[in-house]
Every structure is written in structure tokens, then in C-alpha cells.
Amino acid sequence: MVNDLLGARATVLVTLDPECPFCQMYLPLLDSLVALPAYGAVRIVAVFASPYIPRDSAAKFMRASPAAFDGIMDPEFVLCKALGARVTPEVFVLDAEGELVYQGAIDDRALRAGKKRIQATRHYLSDALDAVLRGDRPAEREVAAVGCILEYDP
């Protein structure tokens, strides 16, 4: 399943839920990453992980994204379980061979439920992508993501 999603140089799988305030906050940032020429070889795929997210709700959420990156439904948490996803949003950066090289937070704006910074001081996702595109491994392999909890049995 994951191999079908791979981009040319890197792939970002991001767990999203249209009702999650943190997902709503990060959608413009994900759009801006897709639009950057430096990330032209990067594919971003939204993973809507819950049996309670209606397909039309996910589609409407994706239409709010000018970059129109790809989205898939994961109502039985198959992909989320394979990745070890815990919250929305949480990103998983895969290199061209499909190896997981970074997992976790997009940046450090989300502090805890209901609390966020106005501006990020650390940019984990873009740092990880920059490293992969240089042919390196990210300096940080995992940073705990803060968001809405994915409710499934591991």
C-alpha cells in the first residue's frame, strides 16, 4: 500500500481529521510546502484515519487546500497501525525507497491540547525534508506530535 504512495525523492504521510483544530491550523503550511519548487519531488498524502470521518467531509477539507495534495481514507487504521500513528496531525517522512526517516510533529507551534504558539521556532518537517533531499538523514528522527488522539486498539 505504501509503495503506491511514494514520491520521487520523498513522501510525507500526514494523519488528518477535518474536525481537529491543529489539522485546520497546519493545512496552510502543508499547502505552502507543496507549492515550493524545492519540494517538487516530494509527495504529500493526507491520511484520514477514522471510521467516523465521512468521505465527503474529507473531500471538502481537501478542497480547502489550494495545492490539492492527495488524500486517502484509512477507516480501519491499517496504515496508521503500520506507521505507529498516535495523533492528528502527525507526519511520517519516507525516503525514495520507502524507509521511514522522520516521524512526529510538523513544527513546535502545537504545545498541548488548546495551547499553541503564534509562530514556530522549530521546523521539524521542513528540516527533515531538506535533509532527505540533500541525501542525508534528518538530525532528529522523531519528535512527539501534539494533536487530537487517534482512537484505535494497536
Side-chain angles (χ1 to χ4, degrees):
M1 176 184 206
V2 172
N3 287 341
D4 296 336
L5 303 175
L6 293 179
R9 305 258 323 268
T11 304
V12 177
L13 301 173
V14 56
T15 56
L16 293 176
D17 183 331
E19 301 298 320
C20 174
F22 287 118
C23 293
Q24 295 165 7
M25 176 180 79
Y26 279 116
L27 189 60
L29 174 67
L30 294 169
D31 279 336
S32 69
L33 289 178
V34 171
L36 290 173
Y39 294 152
V42 175
R43 183 174 184 192
I44 296 181
V45 180
V47 179
F48 293 98
S50 174
Y52 305 109
I53 298 174
R55 186 173 294 278
D56 61 336
S57 177
K60 181 179 178 184
F61 187 73
M62 293 300 290
R63 280 193 302 274
S65 166
F69 49 88
D70 297 317
I72 61 170
M73 303 300 291
D74 189 18
E76 296 176 4
F77 302 104
V78 173
L79 187 54
C80 287
K81 287 178 183 179
L83 294 168
R86 296 176 291 266
V87 299
T88 62
E90 184 171 9
V91 295
F92 301 84
V93 177
L94 309 173
D95 65 13
E97 289 76 41
E99 180 183 343
L100 181 65
V101 296
Y102 173 76
Q103 169 181 346
I106 294 170
D107 61 27
D108 66 349
R109 279 189 294 167
L111 299 172
R112 65 177 185 275
K115 180 98 171 131
K116 63 184 176 186
R117 284 186 173 96
I118 293 173
Q119 196 165 17
T121 60
R122 305 279 313 272
H123 305 275
Y124 308 116
L125 175 57
S126 58
D127 290 349
L129 288 173
D130 291 344
V132 170
L133 294 175
R134 282 191 316 268
D136 296 331
R137 291 290 180 234
E140 296 185 79
R141 185 160 166 85
E142 184 173 355
V143 174
V146 174
C148 300
I149 296 172
L150 288 170
E151 296 183 33
Y152 66 87
D153 295 324

